[in-house]
Amino acid sequence: MIDTDGRVLARSRVCHPSARGVGPGRADPTAWRSSITAAVAQLGSYAAGVAGIGLDTHCPTALLLDAAGRPLAAGVTWDHPGLAGPTAELIATLSADERRLTGNHLMPATAMGAAYRLFQQVEPEALGTATTFGLAGTWLGQWLTGRRAIDPTQASYTALMSGTDGRCQWLAEALVRFGIPAHQLPPVLPSLSVLGPLCPTTADVLGLPHGIPVLVGSGDTPAAAYALGTAPGGRPLFIMGTTHVVSNALAEPDPRALALQRTDVRTGQWLINGVINGGDALADGAAQLGFGRDDSAVAELVDAAYDAGPADDTPVYIPHTRPERGPLWFAEPRTALLGLRPDTTRIAAARGVVEGVLFADRMIIESCVGADQRSLYVSGAFGDEPRLPQLLADVLGRDILVIDESHLPALGAAAMCCEVLDGTIVDPPRARLVQPRPEWHATIERRLQQYRATWSQVTGVAPPSTLDDALTRTVC
């Protein structure tokens, strides 16, 4: 909860681990509903003063809903093992022009419309009675208001919406060819618009005032970027969690379909995301070097790497320990720890592991961020620990502004309410500046060149092109 000045009045967090307990690639919305209800209850007396509700959701999940918005079966998530075949079928259905209109490298995470055909296989009875085929935000909005919709940031991940032309409309001919009735899809509505009033039955369940406006909202990464005022040519956001994600706003779509791409919260701009499993790779590297697997293992790994400093003979770590999405698009792990010698110290090996993850971060950042964008917002569970942000700034050779707010997507969703309902643009949360240390620059750049060559040998592909290269080719 925030006021119109952006001041946080209250916050709560309730996990829903049972949501993923219904089988591989499935999700149970009743667990989401329980966690939302419990989280609102934790707000206590503050709940009575809520004036509006903003929404953000994550993890692309397709759902079948009845006319009242009730889920008819467990949802299908982007990582469902049965989605590969339907995704290939959907891609084959699309014309070259339609693929360009989606703006994405198409795979299960960015072609969630393919879940319709998977539902035909695994939930035929539910599909036969469903009124709506939508994503997680569709369910959430209809539970709150009784009205159905999907916002452009989520619809961009269906491979069924025209995004790069700015129309944000379903691809009608593709729907016919793929066999999805148009009436089963929710209308695409702007993120910064009111979906409807909170309906009385849900208001009573949540203990919130009847009739307060509920926004259409967005996906979680666009909401986080919105909280920071992301705009074309402005400061991008880099999130360091289990997944490392860079988000950058563009005034025109990226023509490469290299990064994950979606229509942004604001009309007329696009958001591109580069992703690696950086947090997982750090944890795996910490375990491999004997730091353990508990919560302190990565912190100890980072401390050792910081103490070691950069050196030309440090081992090289290729960190893709899991399949990865854009801009690398690895369908299987591609990892290695090279250059270990009998006399390699553990802190030198730790330096190689952390440096390898951060060099991979730099590659995805440079594929999505222009060279003239000399600073980035960085968000992660750093606490007061300065070492990982400092190592990141050193490797990137850019200033970073560390955001200590741990719930940026929720803050962004609430800030959308302030703009739509009150006309107020909430200032970004406070940040602390971390600058690269110039004494390490030459060594790090030499190490980067060595790393890129080794990275290509291990992965079998060339490093992704930079955003500046792509835009130059487009202009030419």
Side-chain angles (χ1 to χ4, degrees), residues 85-151:
T87 299
E89 293 169 3
L90 175 55
I91 294 170
T93 297
L94 299 173
S95 68
D97 284 342
E98 287 167 339
R99 287 195 292 272
R100 281 192 290 271
L101 286 170
T102 71
N104 270 317
H105 176 108
L106 295 177
M107 45 89 75
T110 59
M112 285 300 297
Y116 190 90
R117 194 157 287 184
L118 181 61
F119 276 131
Q120 289 177 327
Q121 301 170 19
V122 300
E123 302 285 358
E125 185 175 336
L127 184 61
T129 59
T131 301
T132 299
F133 170 63
L135 297 189
T138 307
W139 163 80
L140 181 55
Q142 193 163 1
W143 176 47
L144 294 172
T145 68
R147 301 178 183 180
R148 62 180 200 155
I150 189 171
D151 78 275

Side-chain angles (χ1 to χ4, degrees), residues 170-358:
W170 297 118
L171 296 168
E173 294 180 4
L175 295 181
V176 172
R177 293 195 298 272
F178 197 63
I180 300 178
H183 68 266
Q184 284 193 316
L185 289 173
V188 182
L189 299 179
S191 295
L192 293 172
S193 65
V194 174
L195 176 59
L198 180 64
C199 62
T201 54
T202 306
D204 290 340
V205 168
L206 297 176
L208 294 172
H210 288 202
I212 59 175
V214 178
L215 267 61
V216 174
S218 74
D220 61 339
T221 301
Y226 174 88
L228 297 173
T230 299
R235 186 175 291 121
L237 167 64
F238 185 55
I239 302 172
M240 300 183 76
T242 303
T243 303
H244 290 183
V245 183
V246 59
S247 297
N248 192 25
L250 301 179
E252 300 289 341
D254 182 349
R256 299 173 297 169
L258 180 63
L260 295 161
Q261 182 165 214
R262 62 178 101 193
T263 303
D264 200 6
V265 167
R266 294 198 181 281
T267 302
Q269 66 186 47
W270 283 261
L271 194 68
I272 57 172
N273 302 139
V275 182
I276 68 166
N277 296 306
D280 284 330
L282 288 173
D284 291 340
Q288 186 174 348
L289 296 182
F291 288 94
R293 288 194 174 275
D294 59 20
D295 291 343
S296 65
V298 170
E300 293 175 10
L301 175 79
V302 170
D303 286 345
Y306 187 91
D307 292 338
D312 290 323
D313 60 350
T314 300
V316 175
Y317 181 57
I318 307 303
H320 310 297
T321 60
R322 289 161 176 76
E324 291 188 342
R325 292 171 282 164
L328 305 179
W329 305 112
F330 293 147
E332 67 285 322
R334 302 190 187 187
T335 187
L337 180 57
L338 306 173
L340 285 174
R341 304 182 308 273
D343 61 343
T344 300
T345 65
R346 191 162 76 144
I347 67 168
R351 176 75 194 196
V353 167
V354 174
E355 188 180 66
V357 173
L358 298 183

